[in-house]
Amino acid sequence: MELRILMLEDDATDAELVQRSLHGHDLNPVFMVVSSAIEYTRALQEFKPAVILADNSLPQFDAKEALRYLQEKKIHIPFIMVTGTMSEEFAVHIIKKGADDYILKNSLVRLPSAIQAALRHHETEREKENAISQLVVSERNYRVLVERITDAFIALDNEWRYTYINPQAATLIHKTPEEVMGKSVWEIFPEAVGSSTYQAMMRAFQEQCYQTNEDYFAPLNLWQENHIYPSPDGISMFIRDISERKRLQLELMEQKRREQQRLTATALAAQERERNAIAVELHDNVNQILVGTNLLLTIMRDNPEKGKELLHSCMDSIREAISENRKIAHELVTPDLETEGLLEQLNKLVGNMLAPAGIQVKIEQEGFQENGLTADQKLALYRIFQEQCANIIKYAGATEVLFRFRRMEEKYIILIADNGKGAEPADLHKGIGLHNISARINVLDGRSAIHTAPGQGFRLEINLPIQ
């Protein structure tokens, strides 16, 4: 598509230089050069330019007059000064009067980008004007539309005075239209000055661009969502009451906070139980073995002749204490799940916990790949296996345990099932170990299900999303 450029220039050489500077920039320019007011006005009607480039040094018709004529006729096209010399004061003056830009003839390299920027700016302004004209085709239709909308709506002039307020807005601010019409919004609501809404309204009007924001206005106990549409005469503003939505959001945040507190409390309680368990193990096993060994050593001290007889018993006791200590350490230490995979660690775990209890273990897998699990998920699963193995040893009376790993679509399904005596479903909430398992799964955004009944074994199914 060609770009019609009207040049107001009386120097043919300068005109040719300007034209050359615009070739090869995806503009596809077509030029018309005029040098008088008559030619200029005729070209506007017949040539219908998309851009005007005006020199300011013409003797009888300068750029200021050309720009003023455009504005009088309400012709909205880019107007750029292209001149040999220009003072900074004059440049500021002509821009304030409405020119889009100015280019010195010794800096024509900037002209293509200046034209493109001016075209974009005018296109944006044209779209805004079209949108506004479509919204307010007539005052009557406009008011009917506003009366029917469900959101609150107000219109303010350029002095921030109410020119319109619909019934919904009047209800929202607890005022009648008569109380606010013609008055400044900042006079009625001085507490709003400086607020987020105040800044959004100022920015919309000063920059003549749409703004939206959310804000809380304490005097009305109101959370509001604002949509602000500016015009040269003021602003139109749609206000939506989002107090209920915010209340629900705050409730949800509070629920999450309480859930996090519950999980933290569960974790702390688990730590305390773990510490108590360690203390019991140390007291009932290691400490008793060492007390017995100390007693034997005391006898040996007081009766040296019995030393040879008791020495082997002391050594056996010390070896037993070392074994118990290693057992406790193995249960506490974080497994190295990077060097050895989760299934390898599970094999070690059941070998250390279930096998000594005479329980047969079977591990099955179907499409299971550990690389779909994060490090946190692997560690959580290991602790769950550890907890459930302890539950099976303590409560199940089982002889067989099955671990099954499957992948189904975008999740992993892990089953731990035993053939033990099962439990009453109503009693499951009493189990601290099961609470720990559930908390670990919830933290990882997973789900769990338990299937059990007296005499029918125990099945724990875990679903974890693939990361």
Side-chain angles (χ1 to χ4, degrees), residues 355-407:
I359 299 173
Q360 297 294 317
V361 177
K362 186 176 182 180
I363 300 175
E364 298 177 352
Q365 56 176 311
E366 180 184 329
F368 179 75
Q369 293 180 329
E370 289 186 32
N371 56 13
L373 294 170
T374 65
D376 288 341
Q377 287 178 319
K378 290 180 183 179
L379 180 58
L381 284 174
Y382 180 84
R383 293 303 185 199
I384 289 169
F385 298 156
Q386 205 172 33
E387 187 86 50
Q388 190 60 7
C389 284
N391 289 339
I392 291 170
I393 294 171
K394 291 178 184 177
Y395 310 116
T399 58
E400 295 178 2
V401 174
L402 169 66
F403 290 84
R404 178 180 294 149
F405 298 81
R406 288 190 299 149
R407 173 171 179 164

CSV table of all heavy atoms in Angstrom, one decimal, residues 355-407:
chain,number,residue,atom,x,y,z
A,355,ALA,N,12.0,-58.5,56.8
A,355,ALA,CA,12.5,-59.8,56.7
A,355,ALA,C,12.9,-60.4,58.1
A,355,ALA,O,12.5,-61.6,58.3
A,355,ALA,CB,13.8,-59.8,55.8
A,356,PRO,N,13.5,-59.7,59.0
A,356,PRO,CA,13.8,-60.3,60.3
A,356,PRO,C,12.5,-60.7,61.1
A,356,PRO,O,12.6,-61.5,62.0
A,356,PRO,CB,14.5,-59.1,61.1
A,356,PRO,CG,15.1,-58.3,60.0
A,356,PRO,CD,14.1,-58.3,58.9
A,357,ALA,N,11.4,-60.1,60.7
A,357,ALA,CA,10.1,-60.5,61.4
A,357,ALA,C,9.4,-61.6,60.7
A,357,ALA,O,8.3,-62.0,61.0
A,357,ALA,CB,9.1,-59.3,61.4
A,358,GLY,N,10.1,-62.2,59.7
A,358,GLY,CA,9.6,-63.4,59.0
A,358,GLY,C,8.5,-63.1,58.0
A,358,GLY,O,7.7,-63.9,57.6
A,359,ILE,N,8.4,-61.8,57.5
A,359,ILE,CA,7.4,-61.4,56.5
A,359,ILE,C,7.9,-61.5,55.1
A,359,ILE,O,9.0,-60.9,54.8
A,359,ILE,CB,6.9,-59.9,56.9
A,359,ILE,CG1,6.4,-59.9,58.3
A,359,ILE,CG2,5.9,-59.5,55.8
A,359,ILE,CD1,6.0,-58.5,58.7
A,360,GLN,N,7.2,-62.1,54.2
A,360,GLN,CA,7.6,-62.3,52.8
A,360,GLN,C,7.2,-61.0,52.1
A,360,GLN,O,6.0,-60.5,52.2
A,360,GLN,CB,6.9,-63.5,52.2
A,360,GLN,CG,7.2,-64.8,52.8
A,360,GLN,CD,8.7,-65.1,52.5
A,360,GLN,OE1,9.2,-64.9,51.5
A,360,GLN,NE2,9.4,-65.6,53.6
A,361,VAL,N,8.1,-60.4,51.3
A,361,VAL,CA,7.8,-59.2,50.6
A,361,VAL,C,7.9,-59.4,49.1
A,361,VAL,O,8.9,-60.0,48.6
A,361,VAL,CB,8.8,-58.1,51.1
A,361,VAL,CG1,8.6,-56.8,50.3
A,361,VAL,CG2,8.7,-57.8,52.5
A,362,LYS,N,7.0,-58.8,48.4
A,362,LYS,CA,7.0,-58.8,46.9
A,362,LYS,C,6.9,-57.4,46.4
A,362,LYS,O,6.1,-56.6,46.8
A,362,LYS,CB,5.8,-59.6,46.4
A,362,LYS,CG,5.8,-59.9,44.9
A,362,LYS,CD,4.7,-60.8,44.5
A,362,LYS,CE,4.7,-61.0,43.0
A,362,LYS,NZ,3.6,-61.9,42.5
A,363,ILE,N,7.8,-57.0,45.5
A,363,ILE,CA,7.8,-55.7,44.9
A,363,ILE,C,7.6,-55.8,43.4
A,363,ILE,O,8.3,-56.5,42.7
A,363,ILE,CB,9.2,-55.0,45.1
A,363,ILE,CG1,9.4,-54.8,46.6
A,363,ILE,CG2,9.2,-53.6,44.5
A,363,ILE,CD1,10.8,-54.3,47.0
A,364,GLU,N,6.5,-55.1,42.9
A,364,GLU,CA,6.1,-55.2,41.5
A,364,GLU,C,6.1,-53.8,40.9
A,364,GLU,O,5.9,-52.8,41.6
A,364,GLU,CB,4.7,-55.8,41.3
A,364,GLU,CG,4.5,-57.2,41.8
A,364,GLU,CD,3.1,-57.7,41.6
A,364,GLU,OE1,2.2,-56.8,41.3
A,364,GLU,OE2,2.8,-58.9,41.8
A,365,GLN,N,6.4,-53.7,39.6
A,365,GLN,CA,6.4,-52.3,39.0
A,365,GLN,C,5.9,-52.5,37.5
A,365,GLN,O,6.2,-53.5,36.9
A,365,GLN,CB,7.8,-51.7,39.0
A,365,GLN,CG,8.9,-52.5,38.4
A,365,GLN,CD,10.2,-51.7,38.4
A,365,GLN,OE1,10.2,-50.5,38.0
A,365,GLN,NE2,11.3,-52.3,38.9
A,366,GLU,N,5.2,-51.4,37.1
A,366,GLU,CA,4.6,-51.4,35.8
A,366,GLU,C,4.7,-50.0,35.2
A,366,GLU,O,4.0,-49.1,35.6
A,366,GLU,CB,3.1,-51.9,35.8
A,366,GLU,CG,2.4,-51.9,34.5
A,366,GLU,CD,1.0,-52.3,34.6
A,366,GLU,OE1,0.6,-53.0,35.5
A,366,GLU,OE2,0.2,-51.8,33.8
A,367,GLY,N,5.6,-49.8,34.3
A,367,GLY,CA,5.8,-48.5,33.7
A,367,GLY,C,6.3,-47.4,34.6
A,367,GLY,O,6.2,-46.2,34.4
A,368,PHE,N,6.9,-47.9,35.7
A,368,PHE,CA,7.4,-46.9,36.8
A,368,PHE,C,8.8,-46.5,36.5
A,368,PHE,O,9.7,-47.3,36.3
A,368,PHE,CB,7.3,-47.6,38.1
A,368,PHE,CG,7.8,-46.7,39.3
A,368,PHE,CD1,7.0,-45.7,39.7
A,368,PHE,CD2,9.1,-46.9,39.8
A,368,PHE,CE1,7.5,-44.9,40.8
A,368,PHE,CE2,9.5,-46.2,40.9
A,368,PHE,CZ,8.7,-45.1,41.4
A,369,GLN,N,9.0,-45.2,36.4
A,369,GLN,CA,10.4,-44.6,36.2
A,369,GLN,C,10.6,-43.5,37.3
A,369,GLN,O,9.8,-42.6,37.4
A,369,GLN,CB,10.5,-44.0,34.8
A,369,GLN,CG,10.4,-45.0,33.7
A,369,GLN,CD,10.6,-44.4,32.3
A,369,GLN,OE1,10.2,-43.2,32.1
A,369,GLN,NE2,11.2,-45.1,31.4
A,370,GLU,N,11.7,-43.7,38.0
A,370,GLU,CA,11.9,-42.8,39.1
A,370,GLU,C,12.2,-41.3,38.7
A,370,GLU,O,12.0,-40.4,39.5
A,370,GLU,CB,13.1,-43.3,40.0
A,370,GLU,CG,12.8,-44.5,40.8
A,370,GLU,CD,13.9,-44.9,41.7
A,370,GLU,OE1,14.6,-44.0,42.2
A,370,GLU,OE2,14.1,-46.1,41.9
A,371,ASN,N,12.7,-41.2,37.5
A,371,ASN,CA,13.0,-39.8,37.0
A,371,ASN,C,11.8,-38.9,36.9
A,371,ASN,O,11.9,-37.7,36.7
A,371,ASN,CB,13.8,-39.8,35.7
A,371,ASN,CG,13.0,-40.5,34.6
A,371,ASN,OD1,11.8,-40.8,34.7
A,371,ASN,ND2,13.7,-40.9,33.5
A,372,GLY,N,10.6,-39.5,37.0
A,372,GLY,CA,9.4,-38.6,37.1
A,372,GLY,C,9.1,-38.1,38.5
A,372,GLY,O,8.1,-37.4,38.7
A,373,LEU,N,9.9,-38.5,39.5
A,373,LEU,CA,9.7,-38.0,40.8
A,373,LEU,C,10.8,-37.0,41.2
A,373,LEU,O,11.9,-37.2,40.8
A,373,LEU,CB,9.8,-39.2,41.8
A,373,LEU,CG,8.7,-40.3,41.7
A,373,LEU,CD1,9.1,-41.5,42.6
A,373,LEU,CD2,7.4,-39.7,42.2
A,374,THR,N,10.4,-36.0,42.0
A,374,THR,CA,11.3,-35.1,42.5
A,374,THR,C,12.1,-35.7,43.7
A,374,THR,O,11.6,-36.7,44.3
A,374,THR,CB,10.7,-33.8,42.9
A,374,THR,OG1,9.8,-34.0,44.0
A,374,THR,CG2,9.8,-33.2,41.8
A,375,ALA,N,13.2,-35.0,44.1
A,375,ALA,CA,13.9,-35.5,45.3
A,375,ALA,C,13.0,-35.5,46.5
A,375,ALA,O,13.1,-36.4,47.3
A,375,ALA,CB,15.1,-34.6,45.5
A,376,ASP,N,12.2,-34.4,46.7
A,376,ASP,CA,11.3,-34.4,47.8
A,376,ASP,C,10.3,-35.5,47.8
A,376,ASP,O,9.9,-36.1,48.8
A,376,ASP,CB,10.5,-33.0,47.8
A,376,ASP,CG,11.4,-31.9,48.2
A,376,ASP,OD1,12.5,-32.1,48.8
A,376,ASP,OD2,11.1,-30.7,47.9
A,377,GLN,N,9.7,-35.8,46.6
A,377,GLN,CA,8.8,-36.9,46.5
A,377,GLN,C,9.4,-38.2,46.9
A,377,GLN,O,8.8,-39.1,47.6
A,377,GLN,CB,8.2,-37.0,45.1
A,377,GLN,CG,7.2,-35.9,44.8
A,377,GLN,CD,6.6,-35.9,43.4
A,377,GLN,OE1,7.4,-36.2,42.5
A,377,GLN,NE2,5.4,-35.7,43.2
A,378,LYS,N,10.6,-38.5,46.4
A,378,LYS,CA,11.3,-39.7,46.7
A,378,LYS,C,11.5,-39.9,48.2
A,378,LYS,O,11.3,-40.9,48.8
A,378,LYS,CB,12.7,-39.8,46.0
A,378,LYS,CG,12.6,-40.0,44.5
A,378,LYS,CD,14.0,-40.0,43.9
A,378,LYS,CE,13.9,-40.1,42.3
A,378,LYS,NZ,15.2,-40.1,41.7
A,379,LEU,N,12.0,-38.8,48.9
A,379,LEU,CA,12.3,-38.9,50.3
A,379,LEU,C,11.0,-39.1,51.1
A,379,LEU,O,10.9,-39.9,52.0
A,379,LEU,CB,13.0,-37.6,50.8
A,379,LEU,CG,13.3,-37.5,52.3
A,379,LEU,CD1,14.2,-38.7,52.7
A,379,LEU,CD2,14.0,-36.2,52.6
A,380,ALA,N,9.9,-38.4,50.6
A,380,ALA,CA,8.6,-38.5,51.3
A,380,ALA,C,8.1,-40.0,51.2
A,380,ALA,O,7.6,-40.6,52.2
A,380,ALA,CB,7.6,-37.6,50.7
A,381,LEU,N,8.3,-40.6,50.0
A,381,LEU,CA,7.8,-42.0,49.8
A,381,LEU,C,8.7,-42.9,50.7
A,381,LEU,O,8.1,-43.9,51.3
A,381,LEU,CB,8.0,-42.3,48.3
A,381,LEU,CG,6.9,-41.8,47.4
A,381,LEU,CD1,7.2,-42.1,45.9
A,381,LEU,CD2,5.5,-42.4,47.8
A,382,TYR,N,10.0,-42.6,50.8
A,382,TYR,CA,10.8,-43.5,51.6
A,382,TYR,C,10.3,-43.5,53.0
A,382,TYR,O,10.2,-44.5,53.7
A,382,TYR,CB,12.3,-43.1,51.5
A,382,TYR,CG,13.2,-43.9,52.3
A,382,TYR,CD1,13.7,-45.1,51.8
A,382,TYR,CD2,13.6,-43.5,53.6
A,382,TYR,CE1,14.5,-45.9,52.6
A,382,TYR,CE2,14.4,-44.3,54.4
A,382,TYR,CZ,14.9,-45.5,53.9
A,382,TYR,OH,15.7,-46.3,54.7
A,383,ARG,N,10.0,-42.2,53.6
A,383,ARG,CA,9.6,-42.1,54.9
A,383,ARG,C,8.2,-42.8,55.1
A,383,ARG,O,7.9,-43.4,56.2
A,383,ARG,CB,9.5,-40.7,55.3
A,383,ARG,CG,10.8,-39.9,55.4
A,383,ARG,CD,11.8,-40.6,56.4
A,383,ARG,NE,13.0,-39.9,56.5
A,383,ARG,CZ,14.2,-40.4,57.0
A,383,ARG,NH1,14.2,-41.7,57.3
A,383,ARG,NH2,15.2,-39.7,57.1
A,384,ILE,N,7.4,-42.7,54.1
A,384,ILE,CA,6.1,-43.4,54.2
A,384,ILE,C,6.3,-44.9,54.2
A,384,ILE,O,5.6,-45.6,55.0
A,384,ILE,CB,5.2,-43.0,52.9
A,384,ILE,CG1,4.8,-41.5,53.1
A,384,ILE,CG2,4.0,-43.9,52.8
A,384,ILE,CD1,4.1,-41.0,51.8
A,385,PHE,N,7.2,-45.4,53.4
A,385,PHE,CA,7.5,-46.9,53.4
A,385,PHE,C,7.9,-47.3,54.8
A,385,PHE,O,7.5,-48.3,55.4
A,385,PHE,CB,8.5,-47.2,52.4
A,385,PHE,CG,8.1,-47.0,50.9
A,385,PHE,CD1,9.1,-46.8,50.0
A,385,PHE,CD2,6.8,-46.9,50.6
A,385,PHE,CE1,8.7,-46.5,48.6
A,385,PHE,CE2,6.4,-46.6,49.3
A,385,PHE,CZ,7.4,-46.4,48.3
A,386,GLN,N,8.8,-46.4,55.4
A,386,GLN,CA,9.4,-46.7,56.7
A,386,GLN,C,8.3,-46.7,57.7
A,386,GLN,O,8.2,-47.7,58.6
A,386,GLN,CB,10.4,-45.6,57.0
A,386,GLN,CG,11.5,-46.0,58.0
A,386,GLN,CD,12.5,-44.9,58.1
A,386,GLN,OE1,12.3,-43.7,57.9
A,386,GLN,NE2,13.8,-45.3,58.3
A,387,GLU,N,7.4,-45.7,57.7
A,387,GLU,CA,6.3,-45.6,58.6
A,387,GLU,C,5.4,-46.8,58.5
A,387,GLU,O,5.0,-47.4,59.5
A,387,GLU,CB,5.5,-44.3,58.4
A,387,GLU,CG,4.5,-44.0,59.4
A,387,GLU,CD,5.0,-43.3,60.6
A,387,GLU,OE1,5.7,-42.3,60.4
A,387,GLU,OE2,4.8,-43.7,61.8
A,388,GLN,N,5.0,-47.2,57.3
A,388,GLN,CA,4.1,-48.3,57.1
A,388,GLN,C,4.7,-49.6,57.4
A,388,GLN,O,4.0,-50.5,58.0
A,388,GLN,CB,3.5,-48.3,55.6
A,388,GLN,CG,2.4,-49.2,55.4
A,388,GLN,CD,1.2,-48.9,56.2
A,388,GLN,OE1,1.1,-47.9,56.9
A,388,GLN,NE2,0.2,-49.8,56.2
A,389,CYS,N,6.0,-49.8,57.2
A,389,CYS,CA,6.6,-51.0,57.6
A,389,CYS,C,6.6,-51.2,59.1
A,389,CYS,O,6.3,-52.3,59.7
A,389,CYS,CB,8.1,-51.1,57.1
A,389,CYS,SG,8.3,-51.4,55.4
A,390,ALA,N,6.8,-50.1,59.8
A,390,ALA,CA,6.7,-50.1,61.3
A,390,ALA,C,5.3,-50.4,61.7
A,390,ALA,O,5.1,-51.2,62.7
A,390,ALA,CB,7.1,-48.7,61.8
A,391,ASN,N,4.3,-49.9,61.1
A,391,ASN,CA,2.9,-50.2,61.4
A,391,ASN,C,2.6,-51.7,61.2
A,391,ASN,O,1.9,-52.3,62.0
A,391,ASN,CB,1.9,-49.4,60.5
A,391,ASN,CG,1.9,-47.9,60.9
A,391,ASN,OD1,2.3,-47.5,62.0
A,391,ASN,ND2,1.5,-47.0,60.0
A,392,ILE,N,3.1,-52.2,60.1
A,392,ILE,CA,2.8,-53.6,59.8
A,392,ILE,C,3.5,-54.5,60.9
A,392,ILE,O,2.8,-55.5,61.3
A,392,ILE,CB,3.4,-54.0,58.4
A,392,ILE,CG1,2.6,-53.3,57.3
A,392,ILE,CG2,3.4,-55.5,58.2
A,392,ILE,CD1,3.2,-53.4,55.9
A,393,ILE,N,4.7,-54.2,61.3
A,393,ILE,CA,5.4,-55.0,62.3
A,393,ILE,C,4.6,-54.9,63.6
A,393,ILE,O,4.4,-55.9,64.3
A,393,ILE,CB,6.8,-54.5,62.5
A,393,ILE,CG1,7.6,-54.9,61.2
A,393,ILE,CG2,7.5,-55.2,63.7
A,393,ILE,CD1,9.0,-54.3,61.1
A,394,LYS,N,4.2,-53.7,64.0
A,394,LYS,CA,3.6,-53.5,65.3
A,394,LYS,C,2.1,-54.0,65.4
A,394,LYS,O,1.7,-54.6,66.4
A,394,LYS,CB,3.5,-52.0,65.6
A,394,LYS,CG,4.9,-51.4,65.9
A,394,LYS,CD,4.8,-49.9,66.1
A,394,LYS,CE,6.1,-49.2,66.3
A,394,LYS,NZ,6.0,-47.7,66.5
A,395,TYR,N,1.3,-53.8,64.3
A,395,TYR,CA,-0.1,-54.0,64.4
A,395,TYR,C,-0.7,-55.1,63.5
A,395,TYR,O,-1.8,-55.7,63.8
A,395,TYR,CB,-0.9,-52.7,64.2
A,395,TYR,CG,-0.3,-51.5,64.9
A,395,TYR,CD1,0.2,-50.5,64.3
A,395,TYR,CD2,-0.4,-51.5,66.3
A,395,TYR,CE1,0.7,-49.4,65.0
A,395,TYR,CE2,0.1,-50.4,67.1
A,395,TYR,CZ,0.6,-49.4,66.4
A,395,TYR,OH,1.1,-48.3,67.1
A,396,ALA,N,-0.1,-55.4,62.4
A,396,ALA,CA,-0.8,-56.1,61.3
A,396,ALA,C,-0.8,-57.6,61.6
A,396,ALA,O,-1.8,-58.3,61.3
A,396,ALA,CB,-0.2,-55.9,59.9
A,397,GLY,N,0.3,-58.2,62.1
A,397,GLY,CA,0.4,-59.6,62.2
A,397,GLY,C,0.4,-60.3,60.9
A,397,GLY,O,-0.2,-61.4,60.7
A,398,ALA,N,1.0,-59.6,59.9
A,398,ALA,CA,1.0,-60.1,58.5
A,398,ALA,C,2.1,-61.1,58.2
A,398,ALA,O,3.2,-61.0,58.9
A,398,ALA,CB,1.1,-58.9,57.6
A,399,THR,N,1.9,-61.9,57.2
A,399,THR,CA,3.0,-62.8,56.7
A,399,THR,C,3.5,-62.4,55.3
A,399,THR,O,4.5,-62.9,54.9
A,399,THR,CB,2.5,-64.2,56.8
A,399,THR,OG1,1.4,-64.3,55.9
A,399,THR,CG2,2.2,-64.7,58.2
A,400,GLU,N,2.7,-61.6,54.6
A,400,GLU,CA,3.0,-61.2,53.3
A,400,GLU,C,2.7,-59.7,53.1
A,400,GLU,O,1.7,-59.2,53.6
A,400,GLU,CB,2.2,-62.0,52.3
A,400,GLU,CG,2.5,-63.5,52.3
A,400,GLU,CD,1.6,-64.2,51.3
A,400,GLU,OE1,0.8,-63.6,50.6
A,400,GLU,OE2,1.7,-65.5,51.2
A,401,VAL,N,3.6,-59.0,52.4
A,401,VAL,CA,3.4,-57.6,52.0
A,401,VAL,C,3.7,-57.4,50.6
A,401,VAL,O,4.7,-58.0,50.1
A,401,VAL,CB,4.3,-56.7,52.9
A,401,VAL,CG1,4.2,-55.3,52.4
A,401,VAL,CG2,3.9,-56.8,54.4
A,402,LEU,N,2.9,-56.6,49.9
A,402,LEU,CA,3.1,-56.3,48.5
A,402,LEU,C,3.3,-54.8,48.3
A,402,LEU,O,2.5,-54.0,48.8
A,402,LEU,CB,1.8,-56.8,47.6
A,402,LEU,CG,1.8,-56.3,46.2
A,402,LEU,CD1,2.9,-56.9,45.4
A,402,LEU,CD2,0.4,-56.6,45.6
A,403,PHE,N,4.4,-54.5,47.6
A,403,PHE,CA,4.6,-53.1,47.1
A,403,PHE,C,4.4,-53.1,45.6
A,403,PHE,O,5.1,-53.8,44.9
A,403,PHE,CB,6.0,-52.6,47.5
A,403,PHE,CG,6.2,-52.4,48.9
A,403,PHE,CD1,6.6,-53.5,49.7
A,403,PHE,CD2,6.1,-51.1,49.5
A,403,PHE,CE1,6.8,-53.3,51.1
A,403,PHE,CE2,6.4,-50.9,50.8
A,403,PHE,CZ,6.7,-52.0,51.6
A,404,ARG,N,3.5,-52.3,45.1
A,404,ARG,CA,3.3,-52.2,43.6
A,404,ARG,C,3.4,-50.8,43.2
A,404,ARG,O,2.8,-49.9,43.7
A,404,ARG,CB,1.9,-52.8,43.3
A,404,ARG,CG,1.6,-52.7,41.7
A,404,ARG,CD,0.2,-53.2,41.4
A,404,ARG,NE,0.1,-54.6,41.7
A,404,ARG,CZ,-1.0,-55.3,42.1
A,404,ARG,NH1,-2.1,-54.6,42.3
A,404,ARG,NH2,-1.0,-56.6,42.3
A,405,PHE,N,4.2,-50.6,42.1
A,405,PHE,CA,4.4,-49.2,41.5
A,405,PHE,C,3.9,-49.2,40.1
A,405,PHE,O,4.3,-50.0,39.3
A,405,PHE,CB,5.9,-48.9,41.5
A,405,PHE,CG,6.5,-48.8,42.9
A,405,PHE,CD1,6.9,-50.0,43.5
A,405,PHE,CD2,6.7,-47.6,43.5
A,405,PHE,CE1,7.5,-50.0,44.8
A,405,PHE,CE2,7.3,-47.6,44.8
A,405,PHE,CZ,7.7,-48.8,45.4
A,406,ARG,N,3.0,-48.3,39.8
A,406,ARG,CA,2.4,-48.2,38.4
A,406,ARG,C,2.4,-46.7,38.0
A,406,ARG,O,2.2,-45.8,38.8
A,406,ARG,CB,1.0,-48.7,38.3
A,406,ARG,CG,0.9,-50.2,38.4
A,406,ARG,CD,-0.5,-50.7,38.1
A,406,ARG,NE,-1.5,-50.1,39.1
A,406,ARG,CZ,-2.7,-49.8,38.7
A,406,ARG,NH1,-3.2,-50.0,37.5
A,406,ARG,NH2,-3.6,-49.3,39.7
A,407,ARG,N,2.5,-46.5,36.7
A,407,ARG,CA,2.3,-45.2,36.1
A,407,ARG,C,1.0,-45.2,35.3
A,407,ARG,O,0.7,-46.1,34.5
A,407,ARG,CB,3.4,-44.7,35.2
A,407,ARG,CG,3.1,-43.4,34.4
A,407,ARG,CD,4.3,-42.9,33.7
A,407,ARG,NE,3.9,-41.7,33.0
A,407,ARG,CZ,4.8,-40.8,32.5
A,407,ARG,NH1,6.1,-41.1,32.6
A,407,ARG,NH2,4.4,-39.7,31.8
